[in-house]
Amino acid sequence: LLHLDAESSENESKTLALTTKCGNINLTISDSIQTPKFEAKLVDILVSMEGKDSGNIINCTFGIVLNSYNSALFSWEPIMEKCDFVLKMRSCASKFNSISLPGEFGITLFPTTALHITVAHACIESAISLLTEWNDMTKSGSLF
Protein backbone atom coordinates (compact mmCIF):
# COMPACT_ATOMS: atom_id res chain seq x y z
CA LEU A 1 0.00 0.00 0.00
CA LEU A 2 1.48 3.31 -1.05
CA HIS A 3 -0.33 6.52 -0.24
CA LEU A 4 0.92 9.99 -1.09
CA ASP A 5 -1.04 13.00 0.06
CA ALA A 6 0.35 16.25 -1.31
CA GLU A 7 -1.75 19.37 -0.94
CA SER A 8 -1.45 22.19 -3.44
CA SER A 9 -1.21 24.79 -0.70
CA GLU A 10 2.30 25.51 0.63
CA ASN A 11 1.02 25.69 4.23
CA GLU A 12 -0.25 22.10 4.22
CA SER A 13 2.16 19.32 5.21
CA LYS A 14 2.91 16.50 2.80
CA THR A 15 2.58 12.91 3.98
CA LEU A 16 3.92 9.67 2.51
CA ALA A 17 2.74 6.36 3.99
CA LEU A 18 4.09 2.96 2.94
CA THR A 19 3.18 -0.48 4.30
CA THR A 20 4.76 -3.74 3.17
CA LYS A 21 4.73 -7.36 4.32
CA CYS A 22 8.24 -8.77 4.04
CA GLY A 23 7.64 -12.45 4.82
CA ASN A 24 10.20 -14.50 6.76
CA ILE A 25 13.97 -14.53 7.27
CA ASN A 26 15.74 -17.71 8.34
CA LEU A 27 19.34 -18.12 9.59
CA THR A 28 20.78 -21.58 10.23
CA ILE A 29 24.14 -22.13 11.95
CA SER A 30 25.86 -25.41 11.05
CA ASP A 31 29.13 -27.07 12.01
CA SER A 32 31.98 -27.84 9.60
CA ILE A 33 30.31 -31.02 8.30
CA GLN A 34 27.04 -29.13 7.65
CA THR A 35 25.13 -30.58 10.61
CA PRO A 36 22.65 -27.91 11.68
CA LYS A 37 23.08 -26.65 15.24
CA PHE A 38 20.92 -23.56 15.70
CA GLU A 39 18.21 -21.77 13.78
CA ALA A 40 16.86 -18.23 14.16
CA LYS A 41 13.72 -17.13 12.34
CA LEU A 42 12.14 -13.73 11.92
CA VAL A 43 8.53 -14.43 10.90
CA ASP A 44 5.46 -12.41 9.94
CA ILE A 45 7.44 -9.24 9.25
CA LEU A 46 5.30 -6.19 8.60
CA VAL A 47 6.87 -2.75 8.06
CA SER A 48 5.01 0.53 7.85
CA MET A 49 6.57 3.95 7.33
CA GLU A 50 5.07 7.39 7.52
CA GLY A 51 6.99 10.43 6.38
CA LYS A 52 6.01 14.01 7.07
CA ASP A 53 7.75 17.35 6.91
CA SER A 54 8.10 17.26 10.70
CA GLY A 55 9.66 13.80 10.89
CA ASN A 56 9.42 10.10 10.07
CA ILE A 57 7.95 7.12 11.90
CA ILE A 58 8.79 3.49 11.10
CA ASN A 59 6.85 0.65 12.76
CA CYS A 60 7.94 -2.95 12.34
CA THR A 61 6.13 -5.94 13.83
CA PHE A 62 7.73 -9.39 13.70
CA GLY A 63 8.02 -12.70 15.51
CA ILE A 64 11.24 -14.38 16.62
CA VAL A 65 11.72 -18.15 16.92
CA LEU A 66 14.97 -19.81 18.10
CA ASN A 67 15.61 -23.56 17.75
CA SER A 68 18.48 -25.95 18.42
CA TYR A 69 19.04 -29.20 16.56
CA ASN A 70 19.09 -32.38 18.62
CA SER A 71 21.33 -34.69 16.58
CA ALA A 72 20.46 -37.71 18.77
CA LEU A 73 16.77 -37.37 17.88
CA PHE A 74 17.30 -35.77 14.43
CA SER A 75 14.81 -33.01 15.25
CA TRP A 76 14.60 -29.32 16.05
CA GLU A 77 13.84 -28.33 19.65
CA PRO A 78 12.63 -24.86 20.61
CA ILE A 79 14.91 -22.59 22.61
CA MET A 80 12.51 -19.68 22.37
CA GLU A 81 8.96 -20.21 21.18
CA LYS A 82 7.50 -17.59 18.86
CA CYS A 83 7.47 -14.20 20.54
CA ASP A 84 6.03 -11.16 18.78
CA PHE A 85 7.82 -7.82 18.94
CA VAL A 86 7.19 -4.23 17.88
CA LEU A 87 10.08 -2.00 16.80
CA LYS A 88 9.38 1.72 16.50
CA MET A 89 11.82 4.28 15.15
CA ARG A 90 11.01 7.97 15.17
CA SER A 91 12.97 10.92 13.86
CA CYS A 92 11.95 14.54 14.10
CA ALA A 93 13.20 17.33 11.87
CA SER A 94 13.69 20.87 12.97
CA LYS A 95 13.65 23.83 10.62
CA PHE A 96 16.00 26.78 10.56
CA ASN A 97 14.68 29.29 8.04
CA SER A 98 14.01 27.03 5.03
CA ILE A 99 16.69 24.43 5.88
CA SER A 100 15.58 21.13 7.44
CA LEU A 101 17.97 19.90 10.14
CA PRO A 102 18.08 16.50 11.86
CA GLY A 103 16.44 16.52 15.27
CA GLU A 104 15.53 13.90 17.87
CA PHE A 105 15.81 10.19 17.12
CA GLY A 106 14.18 7.44 19.19
CA ILE A 107 14.09 3.64 19.03
CA THR A 108 11.69 1.48 21.03
CA LEU A 109 11.60 -2.35 21.03
CA PHE A 110 9.11 -4.29 23.12
CA PRO A 111 7.47 -7.75 23.10
CA THR A 112 3.72 -8.08 22.66
CA THR A 113 3.50 -11.73 23.72
CA ALA A 114 5.03 -13.72 26.57
CA LEU A 115 8.63 -14.87 26.20
CA HIS A 116 9.03 -18.66 26.71
CA ILE A 117 12.61 -19.96 26.83
CA THR A 118 13.69 -23.59 27.20
CA VAL A 119 17.34 -24.65 27.46
CA ALA A 120 17.71 -28.41 27.06
CA HIS A 121 20.82 -30.52 27.65
CA ALA A 122 21.17 -31.16 23.90
CA CYS A 123 21.14 -27.39 23.25
CA ILE A 124 24.00 -26.85 25.71
CA GLU A 125 25.97 -29.72 24.14
CA SER A 126 25.46 -28.22 20.66
CA ALA A 127 26.63 -24.81 21.84
CA ILE A 128 29.75 -26.21 23.52
CA SER A 129 30.70 -28.35 20.49
CA LEU A 130 30.15 -25.43 18.12
CA LEU A 131 32.25 -23.07 20.26
CA THR A 132 35.02 -25.69 20.58
CA GLU A 133 35.07 -26.22 16.82
CA TRP A 134 35.09 -22.43 16.22
CA ASN A 135 37.99 -22.05 18.66
CA ASP A 136 39.96 -24.86 16.94
CA MET A 137 39.41 -23.33 13.49
CA THR A 138 40.48 -19.85 14.56
CA LYS A 139 43.61 -21.18 16.30
CA SER A 140 44.68 -23.29 13.32
CA GLY A 141 43.97 -20.52 10.82
CA SER A 142 41.67 -22.73 8.75
CA LEU A 143 38.72 -20.40 9.16
CA PHE A 144 39.79 -17.87 6.53
Side-chain angles (χ1 to χ4, degrees), residues 50-58 88-96 99-107:
E50 183 177 333
K52 294 183 179 182
D53 291 341
S54 60
N56 300 313
I57 298 172
I58 298 173
K88 292 185 178 187
M89 292 183 280
R90 179 181 57 86
S91 66
C92 296
S94 58
K95 291 208 175 210
F96 180 72
I99 300 171
S100 181
L101 300 172
E104 295 180 17
F105 183 76
I107 297 176

Side-chain angles (χ1 to χ4, degrees), residues 21-132:
K21 185 173 183 174
C22 300
N24 302 330
I25 298 173
N26 189 6
L27 171 69
T28 303
I29 299 172
S30 301
D31 63 10
S32 61
I33 57 172
Q34 298 302 312
T35 303
K37 295 294 182 179
F38 295 98
E39 177 182 61
K41 293 181 185 179
L42 293 177
V43 296
D44 303 329
I45 303 168
L46 180 66
V47 179
S48 64
M49 297 176 277
E50 183 177 333
K52 294 183 179 182
D53 291 341
S54 60
N56 300 313
I57 298 172
I58 298 173
N59 288 318
C60 180
T61 60
F62 57 92
I64 296 178
V65 179
L66 300 175
N67 295 312
S68 69
Y69 188 74
N70 185 336
S71 54
L73 299 175
F74 301 108
S75 67
W76 290 101
E77 296 178 344
I79 297 173
M80 183 173 82
E81 295 176 15
K82 183 182 175 202
C83 183
D84 295 322
F85 286 87
V86 174
L87 173 66
K88 292 185 178 187
M89 292 183 280
R90 179 181 57 86
S91 66
C92 296
S94 58
K95 291 208 175 210
F96 180 72
N97 291 332
S98 63
I99 300 171
S100 181
L101 300 172
E104 295 180 17
F105 183 76
I107 297 176
T108 307
L109 175 67
F110 56 91
T112 59
T113 58
L115 184 65
H116 299 282
I117 296 177
T118 304
V119 180
H121 183 265
C123 173
I124 295 170
E125 284 182 342
S126 291
I128 291 171
S129 70
L130 195 61
L131 290 172
T132 302

